[in-house]
Amino acid sequence: MRRVSVKHVNAFTTTPYSGNPAGVVIDARGLSDAKMQLIARELAMSETAFILPPTLKAADLQIRWFTPTVEVPLCGHATIAAFHALAEDGMHGMRQHGRHRFALQTKSGILQILVDKKSAGVSVEFHLPVPAFSAGRKASPRLLKSLGLQRRDLDARMPVVKGSNIAFVPVKKRTALWGIEPDMNALTGVSKTMGIIGVCAVTLQTIEPSSAFHSRFFAPAAGVPEDPVTGSANGPLGAYCFQYAMRSAGIPLPSLRLEDGRLEFIGEQGDRLSRRGRVKVRLEIKKGRVKDISIAGEAVTLFRTSLTV
């Protein structure tokens, strides 16, 4: 038997009890897959991040992510939470304030991390794979039915698309988005048929005028009925809104042009669950196409504990 150190961290917020909670196992060396899954099930958060030494020379460290039921290849909020947890403890060379860069080994490849540690707090930027979208002519009736949506609820200016392992469904009004009550069994079946982890429903009707989009994310097929604030969905969602709202439909979206030329959107999520979170989505655009995506945000640690395994 051994004890492992675990932190409970809320990501995409600096306010306790909001944003998206994640478990962070600071040192997962020696834990079997079965033990990691058991810990994730016991913590019962949408994802738990397990920090490991890398097995590839090009990487600085490795993270694996588990929901209560399965391992997933990518998770944004638990990565933000993990590097926040490491930075506040001064681990992996982050004792001093400043910018710290990491090459992170994941099951989605080696991804780049930038941690900006200041006296005021820690901000983490996480680069994600750029998705390839495939748009159907019409939204699947089974998909709409599983979400409890009618075709009239959709924003016809943008298509329903599949991007990597997420389906994006544009909804006209925030009231309709907030009114979604999925049939989780039906949505699980549809997700498996479509070969996706979950569904991101999005509207351009935001709460705050500086935000570009407002979303909800459902992943019952991965053991997460609704995720409060989903980094791995907001990143591709930024590319989706750039491609289909701004470029194709000519819809102006609130955005910020960063000093390095990248475009930054603010994504809203979690408000429907009383877990307000905000995700900075940064896009590198070249010749009208998205070449790089990253998400950025802060986090707050609620508590540290240890588990016997």
Side-chain angles (χ1 to χ4, degrees), residues 39-106:
I39 290 170
R41 189 189 73 181
E42 189 68 17
L43 293 177
M45 287 179 267
S46 56
E47 273 93 7
T48 296
F50 294 83
I51 301 173
L52 293 155
T55 59
L56 301 175
K57 289 183 178 180
D60 299 303
L61 68 164
Q62 178 185 181
I63 291 184
R64 293 175 65 182
W65 304 280
F66 287 78
T67 77
T69 60
V70 296
E71 183 175 8
V72 292
L74 187 66
C75 179
H77 87 277
T79 303
I80 301 293
F83 279 92
H84 168 88
L86 292 174
E88 69 179 354
D89 283 356
M91 300 179 71
H92 291 277
M94 292 189 284
R95 283 186 171 276
Q96 304 299 322
H97 291 165
R99 291 191 166 190
H100 307 272
R101 298 182 184 274
F102 299 90
L104 177 65
Q105 180 182 338
T106 77

Side-chain angles (χ1 to χ4, degrees), residues 13-229:
T13 183
T14 56
T15 304
Y17 308 104
S18 61
N20 200 353
V24 179
V25 176
I26 300 296
D27 182 0
R29 286 177 294 180
L31 293 179
S32 66
D33 291 9
K35 287 289 188 182
M36 286 189 273
Q37 187 64 76
L38 195 64
I39 290 170
R41 189 189 73 181
E42 189 68 17
L43 293 177
M45 287 179 267
S46 56
E47 273 93 7
T48 296
F50 294 83
I51 301 173
L52 293 155
T55 59
L56 301 175
K57 289 183 178 180
D60 299 303
L61 68 164
Q62 178 185 181
I63 291 184
R64 293 175 65 182
W65 304 280
F66 287 78
T67 77
T69 60
V70 296
E71 183 175 8
V72 292
L74 187 66
C75 179
H77 87 277
T79 303
I80 301 293
F83 279 92
H84 168 88
L86 292 174
E88 69 179 354
D89 283 356
M91 300 179 71
H92 291 277
M94 292 189 284
R95 283 186 171 276
Q96 304 299 322
H97 291 165
R99 291 191 166 190
H100 307 272
R101 298 182 184 274
F102 299 90
L104 177 65
Q105 180 182 338
T106 77
K107 291 201 170 182
S108 293
I110 295 179
L111 304 175
Q112 300 303 309
I113 303 287
L114 173 63
V115 180
D116 193 359
K117 183 176 180 179
K118 299 178 180 179
S119 56
V122 175
S123 177
V124 181
E125 182 173 353
F126 179 27
H127 288 261
L128 303 175
V130 177
F133 296 118
S134 57
R137 292 184 179 180
K138 289 185 178 180
S140 159
R142 282 186 64 205
L143 175 60
L144 293 182
K145 185 177 180 181
S146 70
L147 294 170
L149 290 172
Q150 302 293 323
R151 198 167 295 278
R152 64 175 177 270
D153 295 320
L154 299 183
D155 189 336
R157 299 173 296 175
M158 299 178 290
V160 174
V161 307
K162 178 183 174 183
S164 300
N165 56 8
I166 297 173
F168 295 90
V169 179
V171 178
K172 194 182 304 180
K173 298 181 179 180
R174 195 173 75 243
T175 51
L177 180 74
W178 280 30
I180 291 176
E181 294 184 3
D183 179 331
M184 294 300 177
N185 288 331
L187 184 54
T188 297
V190 172
S191 298
K192 291 179 178 178
T193 299
M194 294 180 67
I196 58 176
I197 287 178
V199 176
C200 178
V202 59
T203 182
L204 301 183
Q205 285 192 352
T206 59
I207 294 173
E208 294 149 14
S210 59
S211 300
F213 41 82
H214 187 100
S215 66
R216 295 175 67 189
F217 184 74
F218 308 98
V224 184
E226 181 169 2
D227 195 37
V229 195

Side-chain angles (χ1 to χ4, degrees), residues 260-280:
D260 59 12
R262 290 184 298 168
L263 190 68
E264 181 179 277
F265 294 134
I266 301 297
E268 299 177 344
Q269 197 182 344
D271 302 79
R272 179 66 176 81
L273 301 177
S274 299
R275 297 199 66 94
R276 178 187 182 277
R278 297 295 180 263
V279 183
K280 296 175 183 176

